[in-house]
Amino acid sequence: MLKKHILYLLLFCIGTTVHAQSQDLAKLTILVIDKTNAPAPHVTIELDNGQKTLRQVTDERGKVLFESITSGDYIITTQMLGHEQSKTPIHLNGGDQKEVTITLLQNSKQLNEVTVEGKTDKQQVSENAIRAVVVDTRAASQEATTLSELLNRSVGIRIRQTGGLGAPPDISLNGFQGRSIRFFKDGIPVDYLRDGYNLSNIPLNSLDRVEIYKGVLPASLGSDALGGAINFVSHQSKRPQLEASYELGSFNTHRATLNGIYSPNNGKWYAGLESFYNYSDNDYWAQVEVPDPETRNPYPDRVRLFHNGYKSYYAEGFFGFSNRTWADDLKISLAAFEINREVQHPALMTDPYGAIRSKQSSIVPTLRYKKAFLDGRLQIDQFLVYNTVNLGRTDTLQGRYDWYGNYTATPGNIGESRQPSLSSIDFDNFTARTNMRYELGQRHRLHFNYVLTDVGRKGSDPYGPVIVSTGQDVLQFPASYLKQVFGLAYESEWLEGRLSNTLMAKHYRYRSRGIDAWTASNVDIDNEKHQTGNYWGLAEAIKYQLNTASFIRLSAELANRLPEQDELFGNGEWIVPNFELRPEESLNLNLGYRLERQNGFSLEANTFYRNTKGLILLIPVQAPYAQYGNQDNVRGYGFDVEITYPFWRHFAFNANATWQDLRLFGITNSQDAWKNDARLRNTPYAFANAGLSASFNNLFQKGDAFKAYTFYNYVREFYLETIPKRSEPGGFLGLNGSAQINSSLIIPTQHNVNLGINYSPASLPLSASFEVKNLGDANLYDNFRVQRASRSFHLKIIYSLNKT
Amino acid sequence: MKISNLIKTHCILAALVAFSACGNDDNSGPIVEAPSKYVVMTMSDNTLAKPGYVTAFDELPSGDVSNVTTNTLQGQGMGGWRPQQNMLLKMFRTQDNALGIERLNVSTNGVITPGNFISADNSTNGSGNFVIGTDGNGFYWDGADPLKIQKFSAATLSRTGELDLTDVVNERGTNEAGILYRSIGQKFLAIKEGKLYANITYATTNGTQKGFFDDFYPNVYIAVIDVATGNYEKTIEIEDTGSIAYINDNNMYDFDSNGDLYIVCQGRSAVGGKSKIVRIKAGETDVDASWSINMDEIQEGGKFVTVYANEGKLITTIPNTALTGGPTGNINFSEIWEFYSIDVATQARTKIAGVPAVTNPGAAFATVEIDDLVLLRVNAPTQNINGYYSLSGTTATPVFNVTEGGSVSGIYKITLE
């Protein structure tokens, strides 16, 4: 029934819009190019006949299309940051279909003397009807800051890490965590890269920006995210450039990037490289409990971690053709990555390990094709990838380490952890993403997006579980997972662009195959099981521009998060299958207001409501096995507010705060009914950031740039496990004191201050930065009893052959 | 588990000490009985860390009670405990579920705090399995030295030494390629009449589950060691069974009032098969070959997981259907376990009336004796029951029901010192 309604609604929207098109009006296509004849995207174009002004922004091909224009004389005005404003007269008659090419000219004036009318990519994304927090990694790339640290400064976002560089991150958006949040690279689901490309290892210099969607996702991000998504956007410009950076930090930390692209003046082809390297011993100081060798009573000590290293590289070479008759852009890439990680301790810092290691690697060929048809009204963006990611874990040591790194042999006792392992698991991945955009009119667009993901798993582990009846390695039984996500969106603008609307429907399908394999079961390859499912989602986002400085927006979404392959079929080791899993379902509502003044002052306030059913959590079934199951229902609301305030010409202050009240509901089991209305466990509910920066030009020499900055981060204590609502801390918003019980399961309040400076001399294509992290050398915890890095110092140098 | 006699003895000794301290001029008033606390443990979530709550009550709870009060301790490893004498002890540390031996302290105002802790190897299940003698000295097993038994002082809760029993373990099976793991005391440690009884594990796996449901031999071997001298005396056998006791706080054995020791063997696999209860009679050091209760004769596909012995009667649970394991199995959370009273002499079984079928008692003690009451742990969520019943004869009636804090894991009475 729901399917019919959605289809009818979409057909109605399309039908009425198409019907509105007039047949006797003119059509004007404008192509904007720069002095190298390369297309100039994101240029603001105004078409003015003295009575009415139409405004659009050029797309990636440098084009805009004005339709349904009445006949008459017009002035075409182009506006672009750093370029001369141009005015071109044109006369249009009814039925005309004209195409005009305009060349942008560089502005010789200082940038700060230009009145900026055009909007950058970042501004456009952040001002869409669908809310996105845009983190300008390019602007922060001079800092010796990690991506996680940068995102943690943003409103409503909390990145939790379990250690130093490379530690697996967990992001919390509006209280959604883990797999409820999906990740993308340039709009493509990034699952095919596993940990090779994620928050913990991407240097800022490798990105142009990060888009963070909380709640509704645009149709172009085809995924089954439940509560948000993060889109890593790499550098899109094809202008020749080369940039290298190197960072040296405490704990023997080395990070390097090398990014470059070359294209000839005619812009017909290009080639480039995107690469980064990370290494750290992560041997920071941590507070642990060391058992006395005689009494075995533990005593607290601050020790230096000794087996916590991390090394990774990612390198992507690409070659492409652009501005051809057969392709606007055809990009062929070959990437490779490898991660090697030392494992210092189990989930909590209870025991020291000295030899456990894990690794991941893959070679990743990809293809991306973009082409516009029908005078640019139809744009197609196709992506394909096929690769195999190999995961391995080694835990075969016959001995034990203590926290000081001393070794004792324990012959015959294999493995330091509970799970001895010598695993090698291959994940074969095929991902295809098709995105189509069709201009129904000047202010009406249709988007279609389709993502197919096909993953197969097969591996071995001589120390892993075996099928009791046959002695076969459970991992040798293959498992596969096919997921398809269809998205269709209708974007429209009304009231001369003041009202923007996006209506979207998504359809999710999956099919999974595998063996009900756990060690005690009596199965063989012929007992393969299948699981399928298909579900619908619906979203609506609306934005109303109150005036030139402010707008409000409202969005709603019915979202599904499909069970993943390993949740359905287990991991072939100690997580066993559950074929009864249902998708997580959520109703998300968001309401926001944004004010941005010409002087740089901005204020943004947002609130959200969510109602989520069937959160998938890992639960034990029969020791040592665990299994994913639909567990908690969560609903609640939250708000966040952010201000930016530039003052005294050189200074800027920004601050944000987030508070959320997410609670369990719908528990009917009498034994657990007391948990109704309890706060969602292990989820930060109040956190805030503040930053102060001072920027000076011409400080030591003409044309140089100096910046000093400090950032403060606060996270209110929260509880690892459920406590009844009546026992929660009191005071305003529950921010005062501690819970009314004696809890050993608190993630304590944390205060963190980072301090840094940047300097870019005018005479050299260099910039240098220095940063102190965790200035107070505090014991910081994002997760229960897993300490983050102690105070550290970082120096970063960037060499840029062509500054962009 | 019987605690009333121990506590009574403790109180009398305390009173005698107090009385003897009075001088002749002392105008002796009435002897004030040392205050007691009734401590209840619950598990709030069924996750691997076993989070939950512990609360001290001034009186035996009755009716509906909350186990989350201002004095409550919240922590991990709350799936059960192993109180001994007047000590609240558990094998899983409150702050992080680490393996070892931890004491919970109770103040006079009822505040519970985690106390001393003996750390043991976290990677091997069974680490922290312990027993305490009447002299306050105890023994425990640490997976870091699987062929040794560690000694500790219960008073200070710290390790004091070790018994190296490598030769004892190696009396058999040294040439068996199928034995991948060996240990002594991993699952069963008991002290009876001055002798320490410790199971010897010969396991076919050396991974995550080493030592559990992976017996190489059809018989279970138990080493007998003199407590006073630490000398090994002999190895005794329980024939044709497997998996003696288990790895968690429920030690799965009990002494009858006449000193007979009754021991649970879970059988050849996690879902049973040749599970039995056997005994070592008072004054004996060998397994009574003439007596055992075999689950296969009662419920095929079932197993024993608990035993309480008192005056010739055993209280245990018997599944009313064959056990199934794995993701959709009934073994742990289905209400299939029924309470029975078994006459030791005749082995006649009587189903206890007034009690629904319950979930697997697991790490919790299914039966505990407090204030001369025999209390049965009754957890039947579908019946809205989560508390303790009092057993009288073969009929049980509700005592209290926990409405807040999760599934009940245990109750114990201690006298404050």
Side-chain angles (χ1 to χ4, degrees):
Chain A
M1 185 65 76
L2 178 64
K3 296 177 190 175
K4 280 185 178 177
H5 286 171
I6 293 170
L7 281 172
Y8 288 158
L9 186 58
L10 290 169
L11 288 171
F12 174 79
C13 292
I14 295 166
T16 51
T17 308
V18 172
H19 180 72
Q21 309 302 306
S22 171
Q23 302 300 313
D24 300 323
L25 302 172
K27 191 157 65 174
L28 174 65
T29 302
I30 301 171
L31 170 66
V32 184
I33 56 175
D34 62 19
K35 65 180 182 182
T36 67
N37 292 326
H42 316 308
V43 179
T44 300
I45 308 291
E46 287 182 356
L47 192 62
D48 188 356
N49 64 357
Q51 298 172 334
K52 185 177 179 182
T53 304
L54 304 174
R55 181 179 294 174
Q56 286 198 55
V57 177
T58 56
D59 60 19
E60 295 296 326
R61 301 165 300 125
K63 285 185 176 181
V64 293
L65 173 66
F66 290 96
E67 291 184 298
S68 307
I69 308 168
T70 55
S71 58
D73 293 318
Y74 287 83
I75 300 293
I76 304 170
T77 306
T78 64
Q79 297 178 101
M80 175 70 171
L81 179 66
H83 295 80
E84 297 277 5
Q85 186 182 72
S86 71
K87 292 185 181 292
T88 309
I90 188 170
H91 179 81
L92 295 170
N93 295 315
D96 276 356
Q97 293 193 5
K98 289 191 175 178
E99 183 163 336
V100 175
T101 300
I102 299 173
T103 304
L104 276 182
L105 297 175
Q106 204 94 29
N107 195 334
S108 57
K109 296 179 184 177
Q110 291 292 320
L111 284 182
N112 57 8
E113 295 175 13
V114 175
T115 301
V116 179
E117 290 285 335
K119 292 183 184 297
T120 63
D121 286 359
K122 301 168 182 74
Q123 285 174 308
Q124 288 178 57
V125 172
S126 64
E127 294 180 7
N128 275 339
I130 295 175
R131 184 196 178 197
V133 174
V134 179
V135 178
D136 189 347
T137 51
R138 193 69 192 158
S141 63
Q142 288 188 338
E143 300 173 15
T145 298
T146 67
L147 183 56
S148 295
E149 290 165 347
L150 187 64
L151 296 191
N152 261 339
R153 299 175 193 164
S154 304
V155 64
I157 301 160
R158 185 68 203 154
I159 312 284
R160 299 164 67 185
Q161 289 195 279
T162 53
L165 180 65
D170 186 20
I171 187 164
S172 174
L173 288 180
N174 288 1
F176 288 103
Q177 300 180 74
R179 301 187 189 197
S180 298
I181 314 296
R182 298 298 195 191
F183 294 86
F184 299 81
K185 180 176 189 281
D186 297 326
I188 308 300
V190 78
D191 306 71
Y192 65 94
L193 292 173
R194 297 248 160 189
D195 290 340
Y197 197 87
N198 71 16
L199 279 173
S200 66
N201 58 16
I202 308 172
L204 296 182
N205 301 69
S206 295
L207 296 174
D208 181 69
R209 65 182 185 274
V210 177
E211 299 165 0
I212 302 168
Y213 295 89
K214 294 191 273 189
V216 178
L217 270 61
S220 59
L221 298 184
S223 186
D224 55 333
L226 192 69
I230 294 187
N231 185 24
F232 303 115
V233 182
S234 58
H235 303 300
Q236 300 297 307
S237 172
K238 294 185 174 61
R239 296 175 194 168
Q241 58 183 296
L242 178 67
E243 183 186 270
S245 73
Y246 173 69
E247 177 186 333
L248 175 65
S250 300
F251 321 127
N252 197 21
T253 298
H254 305 267
R255 306 190 74 185
T257 63
L258 179 62
N259 300 311
I261 186 168
Y262 175 78
S263 64
N265 286 339
N266 62 13
K268 292 291 185 183
W269 63 271
Y270 58 91
L273 173 72
E274 176 189 344
S275 61
F276 57 80
Y277 170 80
N278 297 295
Y279 178 86
S280 179
D281 287 341
N282 284 324
D283 55 344
Y284 55 85
W285 293 90
Q287 189 74 27
V288 298
E289 295 203 330
V290 183
D292 179 273
E294 290 302 317
T295 67
R296 304 304 294 168
N297 294 134
Y299 60 89
D301 199 3
R302 188 171 159 87
V303 301
R304 189 150 202 159
L305 303 183
F306 62 92
H307 184 67
N308 203 34
Y310 173 82
K311 183 168 73 173
S312 75
Y313 76 82
Y314 176 91
E316 178 179 345
F318 55 86
F319 178 84
F321 303 93
S322 53
N323 305 319
R324 306 295 181 116
T325 54
W326 43 273
D328 294 334
D329 188 11
L330 174 64
K331 182 178 179 181
I332 299 166
S333 301
L334 184 65
F337 72 85
E338 184 171 322
I339 296 172
N340 288 282
R341 194 192 307 271
E342 295 175 340
V343 180
Q344 177 70 86
H345 55 77
L348 306 184
M349 296 177 86
T350 49
D351 310 282
Y353 299 151
I356 300 177
R357 294 173 181 276
S358 66
K359 64 180 175 64
Q360 286 188 27
S361 62
S362 184
I363 294 174
V364 191
T366 62
L367 182 147
R368 192 157 189 169
Y369 174 77
K370 296 179 183 176
K371 174 69 178 153
F373 300 92
L374 306 176
D375 295 331
R377 292 172 62 178
L378 175 64
Q379 295 171 36
I380 294 179
D381 180 352
Q382 178 68 50
F383 174 85
L384 295 169
V385 60
Y386 176 78
N387 67 312
T388 299
V389 182
N390 179 264
L391 275 65
R393 180 176 178 273
T394 302
D395 178 16
T396 56
L397 187 73
Q398 298 188 36
R400 293 284 186 275
Y401 283 86
D402 65 19
W403 278 113
Y404 306 111
N406 302 313
Y407 175 72
T408 305
T410 58
N413 208 351
I414 299 174
E416 296 176 273
S417 73
R418 284 172 173 267
Q419 298 176 3
S421 177
L422 188 58
S423 65
S424 176
I425 307 172
D426 285 337
F427 289 88
D428 293 330
N429 175 85
F430 173 73
T431 299
R433 199 289 299 255
T434 304
N435 182 265
M436 290 191 284
R437 167 182 158 139
Y438 183 71
E439 301 282 347
L440 293 166
Q442 193 169 311
R443 297 186 185 277
H444 302 269
R445 289 169 292 280
L446 267 183
H447 290 267
F448 172 75
N449 199 80
Y450 170 68
V451 179
L452 179 147
T453 308
D454 191 359
V455 182
R457 184 203 73 201
K458 193 170 184 182
S460 65
D461 186 351
Y463 298 104
V466 295
I467 301 297
V468 169
S469 56
T470 63
Q472 289 172 281
D473 184 345
V474 173
L475 274 172
Q476 290 180 355
F477 293 95
S480 69
Y481 184 75
L482 177 73
K483 180 167 70 177
Q484 299 175 83
V485 179
F486 302 80
L488 186 62
Y490 168 54
E491 284 182 6
S492 57
E493 294 172 8
W494 309 86
L495 305 177
E496 297 187 335
R498 294 182 71 175
L499 182 68
S500 306
N501 188 72
T502 302
L503 175 65
M504 184 165 35
K506 286 186 178 177
H507 181 57
Y508 317 92
R509 305 176 67 90
Y510 79 89
R511 187 182 75 229
S512 194
R513 294 183 297 126
I515 303 294
D516 187 4
W518 62 291
T519 62
S521 59
N522 187 14
V523 298
D524 58 41
I525 192 69
D526 297 327
N527 298 122
E528 187 177 74
K529 292 199 172 186
H530 298 252
Q531 184 72 6
T532 61
N534 65 89
Y535 306 89
W536 286 88
L538 192 63
E540 162 69 19
I542 191 165
K543 173 192 156 192
Y544 183 71
Q545 193 80 33
L546 297 168
N547 50 49
T548 54
S550 64
F551 61 80
I552 57 172
R553 55 188 159 194
L554 173 69
S555 64
E557 181 175 32
L558 278 169
N560 289 278
R561 204 276 286 178
L562 303 181
E564 293 288 319
Q565 176 263 332
D566 61 318
E567 291 171 329
L568 287 163
F569 283 92
N571 64 356
E573 295 190 299
W574 309 110
I575 299 174
V576 296
N578 181 0
F579 301 110
E580 309 301 322
L581 273 183
R582 293 173 285 106
E584 296 176 339
E585 303 170 5
S586 190
L587 168 65
N588 308 320
L589 304 175
N590 298 274
L591 175 65
Y593 168 79
R594 181 175 173 84
L595 169 69
E596 186 164 2
R597 297 200 181 282
Q598 290 283 354
N599 64 0
F601 172 82
S602 69
L603 166 70
E604 181 160 354
N606 293 277
T607 184
F608 72 88
Y609 169 83
R610 62 175 270 201
N611 186 318
T612 306
K613 293 179 180 174
L615 279 180
I616 297 173
L617 300 172
L618 189 65
I619 53 176
V621 285
Q622 179 183 327
Y625 301 103
Q627 180 188 51
Y628 286 99
N630 294 100
Q631 293 290 301
D632 294 339
N633 300 326
V634 178
R635 70 181 168 205
Y637 63 97
F639 58 80
D640 53 55
V641 60
E642 179 169 39
I643 62 166
T644 302
Y645 179 61
F647 60 102
W648 297 345
R649 189 178 176 192
H650 297 292
F651 296 88
F653 171 77
N654 64 74
N656 61 62
T658 303
W659 184 85
Q660 50 203 24
D661 195 50
L662 301 168
R663 298 186 176 277
L664 305 177
F665 76 98
I667 302 170
T668 55
N669 182 328
S670 64
Q671 182 176 285
D672 294 321
W674 61 277
K675 294 179 193 169
N676 281 316
D677 274 343
R679 210 184 276 286
L680 181 62
R681 62 181 181 270
N682 196 22
T683 304
Y685 68 93
F687 43 95
N689 297 280
L692 181 65
S693 64
S695 302
F696 299 91
N697 292 327
N698 311 315
L699 188 65
F700 302 109
Q701 60 179 162
K702 189 174 182 183
D704 69 359
F706 174 83
K707 180 182 178 185
Y709 59 90
T710 182
F711 289 99
Y712 164 74
N713 175 254
Y714 162 84
V715 183
R716 163 75 170 153
E717 73 174 25
F718 55 101
Y719 293 82
L720 180 70
E721 297 292 345
T722 308
I723 60 173
K725 184 178 183 181
R726 64 174 176 75
S727 300
E728 290 173 359
F732 177 66
L733 301 179
L735 299 178
N736 186 35
S738 294
Q740 310 301 307
I741 57 169
N742 175 24
S743 179
S744 300
L745 308 179
I746 295 174
I747 294 94
T749 294
Q750 61 174 273
H751 305 272
N752 182 32
V753 176
N754 291 356
L755 194 66
I757 54 172
N758 305 332
Y759 181 69
S760 300
S763 54
L764 295 169
L766 286 174
S767 73
S769 65
F770 178 75
E771 184 166 318
V772 185
K773 299 179 182 181
N774 189 4
L775 185 67
D777 203 21
N779 292 340
L780 301 177
Y781 296 89
D782 272 340
N783 293 279
F784 184 64
R785 291 192 176 274
V786 183
Q787 194 174 327
R788 291 172 53 196
S790 49
R791 179 169 47 220
S792 60
F793 304 91
H794 301 259
L795 176 67
K796 181 177 179 180
I797 307 288
I798 301 174
Y799 174 81
S800 188
L801 199 60
N802 282 313
K803 289 184 179 178
T804 56
Chain B
M1 168 172 279
K2 290 166 290 300
I3 58 172
S4 58
N5 290 340
L6 286 169
I7 291 177
K8 279 178 192 167
T9 305
H10 193 84
C11 292
I12 291 168
L13 284 171
L16 286 173
V17 169
F19 184 74
S20 64
C22 296
N24 291 336
D25 298 331
D26 196 357
N27 184 15
S28 300
I31 297 173
V32 178
E33 191 173 340
S36 300
K37 295 289 181 186
Y38 298 81
V39 187
V40 175
M41 175 186 280
T42 53
M43 189 169 78
S44 59
D45 260 304
N46 172 36
T47 60
L48 292 169
K50 297 172 288 184
Y53 298 94
V54 193
T55 306
F57 296 86
D58 292 332
E59 297 177 342
L60 181 66
S62 61
D64 286 346
V65 297
S66 168
N67 202 41
V68 188
T69 72
T70 53
N71 287 340
T72 295
L73 171 67
Q74 184 191 35
Q76 297 188 336
M78 297 292 187
W81 53 19
R82 192 180 289 191
Q84 296 209 0
Q85 301 171 11
N86 197 40
M87 293 173 282
L88 286 175
L89 301 169
K90 54 203 281 275
M91 287 171 54
F92 302 89
R93 186 160 59 175
T94 298
Q95 68 179 28
D96 53 15
N97 200 36
L99 297 180
I101 310 170
E102 183 187 61
R103 173 180 292 161
L104 297 180
N105 297 320
V106 184
S107 70
T108 52
N109 60 2
V111 173
I112 302 178
T113 51
N116 279 7
F117 180 68
I118 294 177
S119 183
D121 177 37
N122 247 333
S123 65
T124 310
N125 289 328
S127 285
N129 179 34
F130 70 94
V131 64
I132 300 173
T134 52
D135 61 352
N137 291 319
F139 300 89
Y140 74 97
W141 184 77
D142 186 342
D145 286 306
L147 303 183
K148 295 175 181 175
I149 292 176
Q150 310 296 320
K151 299 196 290 187
F152 75 104
S153 160
T156 60
L157 208 64
S158 55
R159 177 182 173 276
T160 56
E162 64 186 25
L163 301 175
D164 190 341
L165 298 161
T166 304
D167 292 340
V168 177
V169 177
N170 289 337
E171 279 183 1
R172 66 191 59 77
T174 50
N175 295 320
E176 294 284 1
I179 298 174
L180 300 182
Y181 184 72
R182 296 171 173 81
S183 68
I184 183 164
Q186 186 178 9
K187 290 173 287 191
F188 175 73
L189 285 172
I191 295 175
K192 174 177 171 292
E193 297 164 333
K195 307 297 180 191
L196 172 66
Y197 294 79
N199 83 292
I200 307 173
T201 297
Y202 300 99
T204 58
T205 70
N206 194 14
T208 303
Q209 279 287 79
K210 57 194 176 197
F212 296 93
F213 305 116
D214 58 355
D215 294 288
F216 178 79
Y217 293 113
N219 295 353
V220 166
Y221 294 89
I222 301 172
V224 182
I225 300 144
D226 185 73
V227 170
T229 63
N231 291 335
Y232 164 72
E233 295 188 346
K234 62 180 178 180
T235 294
I236 60 177
E237 297 180 37
I238 306 173
E239 292 186 351
D240 198 23
T241 183
S243 295
I244 185 172
Y246 198 49
I247 56 171
N248 56 30
D249 280 309
N250 182 355
N251 53 16
M252 296 196 185
Y253 65 82
D254 198 25
F255 289 94
D256 200 348
S257 42
N258 66 358
D260 289 353
L261 170 61
Y262 291 88
I263 308 165
V264 168
C265 292
Q266 292 200 59
R268 301 299 299 180
S269 80
V271 290
K274 299 189 174 180
S275 174
K276 58 176 67 173
I277 296 175
V278 299
R279 74 176 174 188
I280 303 173
K281 296 185 73 172
E284 302 286 337
T285 55
D286 281 312
V287 175
D288 183 355
S290 67
W291 188 96
S292 70
I293 301 175
N294 302 313
M295 179 59 79
D296 290 350
E297 297 168 6
I298 302 170
Q299 171 66 58
E300 195 164 343
K303 69 175 181 177
F304 293 106
V305 295
T306 184
V307 65
Y308 164 83
N310 192 29
E311 297 184 346
K313 305 285 186 189
L314 303 183
I315 306 297
T316 189
T317 54
I318 296 172
N320 58 23
T321 185
L323 299 174
T324 55
T328 56
N330 61 14
I331 185 170
N332 285 328
F333 304 111
S334 296
E335 293 160 28
I336 60 168
W337 299 84
E338 296 176 335
F339 278 99
Y340 277 83
S341 174
I342 301 176
D343 184 85
V344 168
T346 65
Q347 298 201 3
R349 296 187 307 277
T350 306
K351 186 176 175 182
I352 292 174
V355 186
V358 299
T359 60
N360 191 334
F365 288 93
T367 310
V368 61
E369 187 179 330
I370 294 177
D371 292 346
D372 295 327
L373 296 174
V374 176
L375 300 176
L376 307 181
R377 174 193 182 269
V378 182
N379 177 253
T382 64
Q383 308 285 315
N384 294 337
I385 300 172
N386 178 40
Y388 277 87
Y389 278 43
S390 175
L391 178 65
S392 177
T394 56
T395 301
T397 53
V399 176
F400 69 92
N401 192 56
V402 177
T403 59
E404 200 172 55
S407 59
V408 288
S409 304
I411 182 169
Y412 198 71
K413 180 183 178 182
I414 62 163
T415 302
L416 301 183
E417 297 171 348

